[in-house]
Amino acid sequence: MPARLEGDRVLIDDPVEASQTYNRGFFGQPLRGGGLALSLLESVFLQEAGRLEVASRGRTVGIKELLRAANRSTPQFEIKYVVYRDLRQRGYVVEEDAGPFDFRVLPRGGAPGKTPAKHWVQALSERAVFDIEALAAHLEKAAGARKSLLLAVVDEESDLTYYAVKRVAPAGHEKPSRPAEVPTAHLLEDRAMVVDEAQGAALSACGFYGKVLGRRLQLSLIEAAYLLKRGDIEVRMADSDRKISLAGLLQRARRAQPDFDLRLRVYEDLRGRGIVAKTGFKFGAHFRAYDGNPQVHHAKYLIHALPAKYRGMWPEVSRAVRLAHGVRKQLLFGAAGTEIAYLRLERVRP
Amino acid sequence: MPARLEGDRVLIDDPVEASQTYNRGFFGQPLRGGGLALSLLESVFLQEAGRLEVASRGRTVGIKELLRAANRSTPQFEIKYVVYRDLRQRGYVVEEDAGPFDFRVLPRGGAPGKTPAKHWVQALSERAVFDIEALAAHLEKAAGARKSLLLAVVDEESDLTYYAVKRVAPAGHEKPSRPAEVPTAHLLEDRAMVVDEAQGAALSACGFYGKVLGRRLQLSLIEAAYLLKRGDIEVRMADSDRKISLAGLLQRARRAQPDFDLRLRVYEDLRGRGIVAKTGFKFGAHFRAYDGNPQVHHAKYLIHALPAKYRGMWPEVSRAVRLAHGVRKQLLFGAAGTEIAYLRLERVRP
C-alpha cells in the first residue's frame, strides 16, 4: 500500500510497513496507532532508494512531483538533501533539527532517543554568507552540549565539503624579552630598519623580530608598532631623522594598511601567548605563526585577523582552508571582539 | 680615494677604481674621461658589500646617510633595493630601467650593450594594487620585445616572491556535441536538475555536463544558462513547471551571483576551446578546467574570471597562485575584455 503525501509529510498507515521503514535506519516519527510520519527529506531519500511508494488522492506521486512539493515547502531543500543523502549513505542515522542546526548525527550504530548525537551539522550553499559572529555563537552552543560542529558546504555542482569548527587557544613557548639598550629604527614607507648591526642583532634575539638584510635588521610595520608600544625601540623618520610617536606611527601604518589596528591587536595577543607571528603574505594569510623557535620549527598556524562581526564569502574561506591544509598548517580565524576568539576550520570526512 | 655623493648619483673619478668597479659586475655608467657614475641602488649595494667608500664635501658618508639620500630621491627605494640585491646576489647583471619596468636582467655571463636582456622585472610591494589591465599591457610590451616578464613582490618582512607572467591560449579536446532530444531541466534556487534518467544520461554524454545525484542529473546555473543559450535544454521552474526564458534564467542567476555574466562569458569561451570547465569552489577559484575527459584526467587549470579592468590586492593573488601550485594546476586569470585574455601566473626562481 503506498504512503500518503499530506502537506509536508508522507504518512505510512500500515503498521507493518511503518515498523519496517522505521527499523531499517530509523526513518520517520512513529505515530500513535502504529503509523509513521516521514519528512520530505526522508521521503525523497527512500523513494530514490526504491524503498517507498507515495500516492496522493489515489494517484501515484512520482519523484518529480515529490521534489516539487519538497521545494515548495522547504527553503534550500536541495542543499539540505545533498547533505542528508550523503550522511545517510555514509551509514549515519540523521535526525532533523529545528535550527540553528539542520541535522543531529548519531554515532554509527546509534538509535534515536537512546544514543546522544555526536555531530551537529549545518547545511550551507557555497553562496551562503560566512558570518563569523553567528558561527562563534553556534560553536558555543554546540560546545556547551558537547557536540562537534560540522559545516557541510554544497557547491554549485552538489559536491560536498565538510568543515569541522573548533575554538582553540593557541599557546607557544617564545615570550619575548626586552633589549638591554633601546635600539633606533628608521621608518621607511612600509617597514622600518635598525641600521646599527649590534643593536639589530640584540633586538632580533629578544623575540625573533625582523629579518636581517645585509647588515641591517628590517622590521615590519606591525613589529615596529608592537615594539614602540612596549618601549623596546625608538622610531625615527628615515629621511629626516625626526623622532616619531606611537600615534604618528599608527597613523602612517593605517594609511598603508587600513586594517592595521585589527592586525596589531591579534599580533599582540599572539605574542602574549608565546607565539611568534610573521607575515603570512606567501600564503595569502595575515600571519604565519610558530609555537616555538621559528628558526627550528615550521609554522604551525596560518592566521587571519577578522573583525568580530566579519561577514565574508564561502569561496574565500574554502580557499584559505584548502591552502592551509596543503602546507600542513592549521587555519585559524582570529575574531577580534572584547577578546580574540580563535576558530579553527579544518576539512574533514565525517 | 672615496667616491663622491652628488644628488642621486655617486661618482668615481679615479679611472683605475672606476674600471675595476665596472669590470667586476658591470656596475655604473662609464663617463667620458674615465670616471664612473653609480646609481644609489648600485652604491648602497656596493657599500654594503664593502666595495665602495663614499664621501661628500670631505666627510665620509655612512650607510645610514646614503640610505637617507636614497629614500629621499627614489620612491619605493627599499622595495627596489630588495629586488636589486637579490638579483645581483643570484649572479645576474641588472640594469635599471626608466619604466614601466624597474630592471632589465641580462642572462648570466651577459654584458651590457652586447647581450640582450632576458627578463624585464617589476619590483612591487605586497601592498601594491594588482591591476590586470596594466599587467596585460606590460606583458604585451615585454612579449613584443621577446622578454619574459617577472613580477618581484616584496612582503613586509622583505621576503621576495617572483611571479612569471605569460599570456596563454588554453586548448582542449572536448568540444561539446548536441543532444538528439532536448531534455527538460527544472530550476531550483541555484541549480537545475534533469529528473528523467535517460535524458540526463544523454545530456551528460554531450559534454560532461552536470553531476549525477541518485537518478537525477544536477546542472550548475552556469551549465543551465550555457545549454539554454545553445538551445540544448529547456528549463522549467521546479515548483510550478512553468517554462523559463534565457533572460528569465539570467535574471535569477544574477541574483544568486552578481558576476554571473562575467563567469558565463569565460565559461563559453573555454567550452569553445574544447575545455571542460567545472566549479572551482573547493579550490576557491571560479573554475577548475580540463583539457581532456574529466573522468580520466586531472584538471589542468584553475581559472578566475576577472573584468578587464579588475584591480585587486596582491595577497589575494599570492594566495591563488600558491594554492594552484600546491595542487599542481596552472593558475589562469581570464580577463574579459573584447576577447578573453588568459594570463598565467606562476611562482618561479629566476
Side-chain angles (χ1 to χ4, degrees):
Chain A
M1 197 176 79
R4 289 183 288 126
L5 172 62
E6 279 210 4
D8 61 354
R9 300 195 306 173
V10 170
L11 302 174
I12 301 178
D13 298 319
D14 181 80
V16 177
E17 282 183 29
S19 74
Q20 276 175 353
T21 302
Y22 183 75
N23 289 334
R24 274 187 55 203
F26 302 108
F27 291 94
Q29 292 291 329
L31 300 173
R32 286 181 205 184
L36 191 69
L38 297 166
S39 73
L40 287 171
L41 274 175
E42 292 171 319
S43 305
V44 171
F45 181 75
L46 290 171
Q47 197 186 40
E48 276 203 333
R51 286 178 57 190
L52 185 73
E53 278 175 43
V54 183
S56 174
R57 295 182 196 116
R59 274 195 320 110
T60 296
V61 173
I63 182 75
K64 205 159 142 181
E65 200 178 333
L66 194 61
L67 282 168
R68 198 178 306 157
N71 278 297
R72 253 200 300 255
S73 72
T74 312
Q76 301 271 319
F77 177 82
E78 271 301 300
I79 302 292
K80 284 176 191 152
Y81 183 65
V82 167
V83 177
Y84 179 82
R85 184 173 177 276
D86 185 75
L87 289 167
R88 277 291 190 180
Q89 285 185 334
R90 288 171 188 269
Y92 286 106
V93 173
V94 180
E95 298 179 305
E96 291 167 59
D97 195 278
F101 307 101
D102 294 296
F103 303 116
R104 298 186 298 272
V105 177
L106 272 52
R108 283 202 180 81
K114 290 180 192 153
T115 325
K118 188 179 172 191
H119 307 295
W120 283 353
V121 177
Q122 282 186 293
L124 299 164
S125 161
E126 68 161 285
R127 294 187 221 281
V129 166
F130 175 80
D131 178 334
I132 192 111
E133 193 182 20
L135 180 57
H138 296 161
L139 193 54
E140 200 172 325
K141 197 169 170 185
R146 293 169 181 271
K147 308 300 175 197
S148 84
L149 176 57
L150 291 183
L151 306 179
V153 182
V154 179
D155 72 18
E156 62 172 347
E157 279 162 12
S158 301
D159 258 1
L160 192 47
T161 310
Y162 292 95
Y163 297 95
V165 193
K166 278 215 166 61
R167 171 116 184 223
V168 296
H173 320 293
E174 297 291 349
K175 294 235 174 173
S177 60
R178 309 191 58 179
E181 179 195 348
V182 174
T184 301
H186 281 88
L187 185 65
L188 302 164
E189 273 142 283
D190 64 357
R191 58 205 68 206
M193 63 182 169
V194 180
V195 178
D196 185 285
E197 206 173 341
Q199 283 190 347
L203 180 62
S204 174
C206 288
F208 306 101
Y209 296 113
K211 190 189 160 174
V212 177
L213 195 84
R215 297 171 184 183
R216 300 174 279 148
L217 183 72
Q218 296 238 3
L219 300 171
S220 69
L221 281 181
I222 287 270
E223 290 172 327
Y226 174 75
L227 288 165
L228 184 56
K229 206 166 167 184
R230 282 165 69 94
D232 287 358
I233 54 170
E234 65 161 35
V235 180
R236 292 176 178 275
M237 297 303 296
D239 48 6
S240 65
D241 212 41
R242 193 169 47 80
K243 213 167 153 178
I244 183 170
S245 67
L246 179 62
L249 178 61
L250 290 176
Q251 201 180 356
R252 274 157 201 283
R254 282 176 205 129
R255 242 178 281 149
Q257 194 156 59
D259 62 352
F260 188 81
D261 295 81
L262 172 68
R263 294 192 191 201
L264 182 58
R265 267 201 69 198
V266 173
Y267 180 86
E268 285 183 276
D269 186 77
L270 289 168
R271 280 291 190 176
R273 293 168 174 274
I275 299 266
V276 180
K278 293 282 181 177
T279 178
F281 172 71
K282 282 207 172 56
F283 305 100
H286 294 164
F287 302 112
R288 65 185 200 278
Y290 302 81
D291 59 352
N293 179 339
Q295 288 152 4
V296 180
H297 297 97
H298 287 290
K300 183 173 177 184
Y301 305 107
L302 293 183
I303 300 178
H304 293 258
L306 301 177
K309 292 183 188 295
Y310 175 81
R311 291 165 64 86
M313 299 310 294
W314 261 102
E316 290 294 309
V317 175
S318 163
R319 176 154 53 179
V321 174
R322 179 93 195 193
L323 202 151
H325 184 80
V327 293
R328 295 169 190 215
K329 303 190 192 309
Q330 298 184 18
L331 178 81
L332 303 185
F333 290 114
T338 46
E339 55 173 352
I340 314 287
Y342 295 95
L343 304 191
R344 190 181 73 201
L345 262 78
E346 196 185 1
R347 285 180 69 192
V348 293
R349 283 169 211 275
Chain B
M1 197 175 80
R4 287 182 291 127
L5 173 61
E6 279 210 4
D8 61 356
R9 301 196 305 173
V10 170
L11 302 173
I12 302 179
D13 298 319
D14 180 80
V16 177
E17 283 183 27
S19 75
Q20 276 175 354
T21 302
Y22 183 75
N23 290 334
R24 275 187 56 202
F26 302 107
F27 291 95
Q29 293 292 330
L31 299 173
R32 284 181 205 182
L36 192 70
L38 297 165
S39 72
L40 286 171
L41 275 174
E42 293 172 317
S43 304
V44 170
F45 181 76
L46 291 170
Q47 197 187 42
E48 276 203 333
R51 285 178 59 190
L52 185 72
E53 277 175 44
V54 183
S56 174
R57 294 182 197 117
R59 272 194 323 108
T60 298
V61 174
I63 182 75
K64 204 160 145 181
E65 200 179 333
L66 194 62
L67 283 167
R68 199 179 305 157
N71 278 296
R72 254 199 301 252
S73 71
T74 313
Q76 301 271 323
F77 177 81
E78 272 301 299
I79 301 292
K80 285 175 190 153
Y81 183 65
V82 166
V83 178
Y84 179 83
R85 184 175 178 273
D86 185 75
L87 289 167
R88 277 295 191 176
Q89 285 186 335
R90 288 171 188 270
Y92 287 106
V93 172
V94 180
E95 298 180 304
E96 292 166 58
D97 195 279
F101 308 101
D102 295 295
F103 303 116
R104 298 186 299 272
V105 177
L106 273 51
R108 283 200 180 83
K114 291 180 193 155
T115 325
K118 185 179 173 191
H119 307 295
W120 282 353
V121 177
Q122 282 186 294
L124 299 164
S125 161
E126 67 162 282
R127 294 186 220 281
V129 166
F130 175 81
D131 179 333
I132 194 113
E133 194 182 21
L135 181 57
H138 296 160
L139 194 54
E140 201 174 324
K141 196 169 171 184
R146 294 170 181 269
K147 309 300 176 194
S148 84
L149 176 58
L150 291 182
L151 305 179
V153 182
V154 180
D155 73 17
E156 60 173 348
E157 280 162 10
S158 300
D159 258 1
L160 192 47
T161 310
Y162 292 94
Y163 298 94
V165 193
K166 279 215 167 60
R167 171 119 184 221
V168 295
H173 321 291
E174 296 291 352
K175 292 235 175 173
S177 60
R178 307 191 61 178
E181 178 196 349
V182 173
T184 301
H186 281 87
L187 185 66
L188 302 164
E189 272 142 284
D190 63 357
R191 61 205 68 209
M193 62 182 170
V194 180
V195 178
D196 186 285
E197 206 172 341
Q199 284 190 345
L203 181 62
S204 175
C206 289
F208 307 102
Y209 296 114
K211 190 189 159 171
V212 177
L213 196 82
R215 296 172 184 184
R216 299 173 280 147
L217 182 72
Q218 297 237 3
L219 300 172
S220 69
L221 280 180
I222 287 272
E223 289 172 328
Y226 174 75
L227 287 165
L228 184 56
K229 205 167 167 182
R230 283 166 68 94
D232 287 357
I233 54 171
E234 65 161 37
V235 180
R236 293 176 176 276
M237 297 302 297
D239 48 6
S240 66
D241 211 40
R242 191 168 50 79
K243 213 167 152 178
I244 182 170
S245 67
L246 179 63
L249 178 62
L250 290 176
Q251 201 179 357
R252 275 157 201 282
R254 284 177 203 130
R255 242 179 281 148
Q257 194 156 58
D259 62 352
F260 188 81
D261 296 82
L262 172 68
R263 292 191 193 203
L264 182 58
R265 267 201 69 197
V266 174
Y267 180 86
E268 285 183 275
D269 186 77
L270 289 168
R271 280 290 189 177
R273 293 168 174 273
I275 300 266
V276 180
K278 294 280 182 177
T279 177
F281 172 72
K282 281 207 172 58
F283 305 101
H286 294 164
F287 302 112
R288 63 185 202 280
Y290 302 80
D291 59 353
N293 179 339
Q295 287 152 5
V296 180
H297 298 97
H298 286 288
K300 185 174 175 183
Y301 305 107
L302 293 182
I303 300 178
H304 294 258
L306 301 178
K309 291 182 187 295
Y310 175 81
R311 291 164 65 85
M313 299 310 295
W314 261 102
E316 290 295 310
V317 175
S318 163
R319 176 156 51 181
V321 175
R322 179 95 196 192
L323 202 151
H325 183 81
V327 294
R328 294 166 192 219
K329 303 191 192 309
Q330 297 183 18
L331 178 81
L332 303 185
F333 290 114
T338 46
E339 54 173 355
I340 315 286
Y342 295 94
L343 305 191
R344 188 180 75 199
L345 263 79
E346 196 185 2
R347 285 180 70 192
V348 293
R349 282 168 212 277

